[in-house]
Amino acid sequence: MAESQPENIQNFLAQAQEAAKVIKETTQKDGSISCFSHLDADGIAAAGIIAKMLQRIDARFRMRVMQWVDDKIIAEVTTDKPQLVILSDFGSGYLDLLNEKIPNNKIVILDHHQITGNTTNPNFTMLNPHSHGIDGATDISGSGVAYFAAKALDPTNTDLAPIALVGALGDMQDKYDQRSLQSLNKLIENDAINTGLLKVEKDLTFFGRETRPIHRMIATTTNPFIPGLSGQETQALNFITNLGFPIKQDDKLRALCDLNPQERKTLCTALADYLLAKGLHNEVNNLIGNIYILTKEEPNTALRDGREFSVLLNSTGRMDHPSLGIAICMGDRKTALEDANKLLEDYRKNINKYLTWVQEKPERLQEHQNIYVIYGQNTINEKIIGTISSILVSTLTNNLKPLIAFANIETENAAKFSGRTTETALTKGVNLGDVMRIASETHGGKGGGHNIAAGAQVPIDKIDAFIKTADELVGRQLNGEKLASNNNS
C-alpha cells in the first residue's frame, strides 16, 4: 500500500493518479489521443504499456515512436489537433519547446529523464520521479512511469508489470547489489511476482542463457563486453571446449540452462579469470546477478529472460520496426515475434560490425583531456550509436572520463551524440545530462538525459565545437563545479 511507502514514493504514486485522471477524462469524452514514445527498449516497452492500457478502455489513439521530441511531433499535433498528447520516455527535457509551440494542448508527460524548462503550464501533467527526489537513472524507467499511470487508471493493468521491468533492464537500471532493481522498480518487481508473472534467480547474466549454445551466448554478449570473445564465435567455442565439460547433449549443443551447478561454477571462474587477465576488473562484477524470468513466456525463447526481451525490443526500435516490439508487448506471440527474432539477428550483426570497425583504427576512438569520443560519422547508424557507447564505455582505460559517440544524419544536416559515463565519474560530480544540454544549446542544438547517460543533436558543422565544449564542461565538473541547472520547477 502507498501508506507504508516513504513520502517521496507516496507523492509519486499520488501524481500517477493525477495523470491517470487526465487520460480517463479524455477517453470518457471520446477524445482522440496522440501518443509518442522513444525508440529504445524502454520507450518501446512504455509504448506497449500505454497502447494496451488505452486499448482496454476503448480509447481512440495513435502511437508513434520517435528518436526525440522535435518539430515533426509539433507539426503532427498541430495538424491532428488531438484532445490529449501523451509523451513517454521523453518530454521532460523539452518543456520550453512545448511551451513555445503547443502551450494550449493538453499533454501528459510520462518520463524519467532530468527536467529542464518551465513546469508551470496548467495544461501539462507530468509524472516524473525527479519531481519527487527519486533518481530516474536508476530507480525507475520510462516504461515504469507508464506502468504506474496504467495501474492507477485500472488495477487490472498490473499484468503489465513484467513489460515495465523489461524496460528497466533495457535501460540498465539493474545497478544495485548483484544487478538487482530497487525503489520504484522494486515495487513493480513485487507486483510481477505477486501476480505469478515473474521469478527472480541468481545466474550468469549473459544474453541467450536459455536460447543459445554456450559458446554462441558468449560470442554474442556485449554486457559485459569480452575482448577476444565477444563477436568471435570460433574463439568462444575454443574457450568453452577447453573447460573440459561436454558442450553437447544427445547431439544438441547445450545452453547455459542445461549446465549443472559445478559446470556453471567452472564456466564462471574461467570467465572471471579471463576478464581479470585483460585488466577488466569491473566487468567481473557483472558476471553473476539477478535473472528475471517471465514465467508465462515459453521456455527457450527470447521472451523468457527479461534482459533478452529488452534486447529484442531495442532491436525493433533501432532497426526501424518499432511496431513489432509494441505488438509483442501487447501480447502478440506469433507473426510479430517471428519477425522480431529475425530482426534481432541483423541487429546483433550490425553491433558486432560497428564494434570491430571502431577498434580497427585508433583515430575512430580518441581520448581527449576529459572525455573519450567515438567518431562514427557516416559509418555507424545513428540509431545504434547509443548501444555502441553503452558497450564500449566499460572497456576504456580511464574510468573517470565519459564516452561520447556521434553519427551523422546527413538528411537533417545534424549529428546525433550519445554519451555514457561510469559510476566512478558520477561520484566525482559528472552529470552528462547537464553537459549534453548546455553544450548542444551553446551550438544551436538540443540535448539532455540522465546523469549517467544522455544524448544531443547539433548541426554537422558544429561537431568539433560541441566536442570541445563538452570536454571543457566535464573538466569543470571533475574540478568540483556544478553546472547551472535549467529546471524552473
Side-chain angles (χ1 to χ4, degrees), residues 447-476:
H450 300 296
N451 55 359
I452 197 165
Q457 57 269 9
V458 298
I460 284 181
D461 62 356
K462 300 293 185 183
I463 288 173
D464 291 338
F466 172 88
I467 291 171
K468 185 173 184 290
T469 301
D471 192 30
E472 291 170 355
L473 292 172
V474 171
R476 285 163 57 185

Side-chain angles (χ1 to χ4, degrees), residues 366-428:
Q366 295 181 23
E367 183 174 5
H368 293 247
Q369 187 171 351
N370 301 299
I371 61 175
Y372 290 93
V373 179
I374 293 175
Y375 290 76
Q377 297 171 317
N378 294 320
T379 299
I380 298 179
N381 183 329
E382 38 93 11
K383 291 180 179 174
I384 301 182
I385 196 74
T387 305
I388 300 303
S389 55
S390 293
I391 294 167
L392 291 180
V393 69
S394 62
T395 68
L396 301 174
T397 307
N398 188 334
N399 65 3
L400 265 182
K401 295 185 177 184
L403 173 65
I404 295 175
F406 77 89
N408 295 342
I409 314 172
E410 294 286 352
T411 55
E412 298 182 22
N413 192 35
K416 166 71 166 66
F417 280 85
S418 181
R420 301 290 183 271
T421 192
T422 63
E423 297 292 340
T424 305
L426 287 182
T427 62
K428 297 293 185 180

Side-chain angles (χ1 to χ4, degrees), residues 343-357:
L343 203 66
L344 177 59
E345 289 305 311
D346 292 338
Y347 175 66
R348 281 280 173 191
K349 288 173 185 173
N350 277 339
I351 289 174
N352 286 325
K353 177 181 74 176
Y354 294 143
L355 290 173
T356 301
W357 180 84

Side-chain angles (χ1 to χ4, degrees), residues 4-21:
S4 64
Q5 300 296 338
E7 185 178 359
N8 60 346
I9 288 183
Q10 287 188 49
N11 291 339
F12 174 87
L13 296 176
Q15 186 64 19
Q17 294 286 344
E18 289 299 312
K21 182 182 176 185

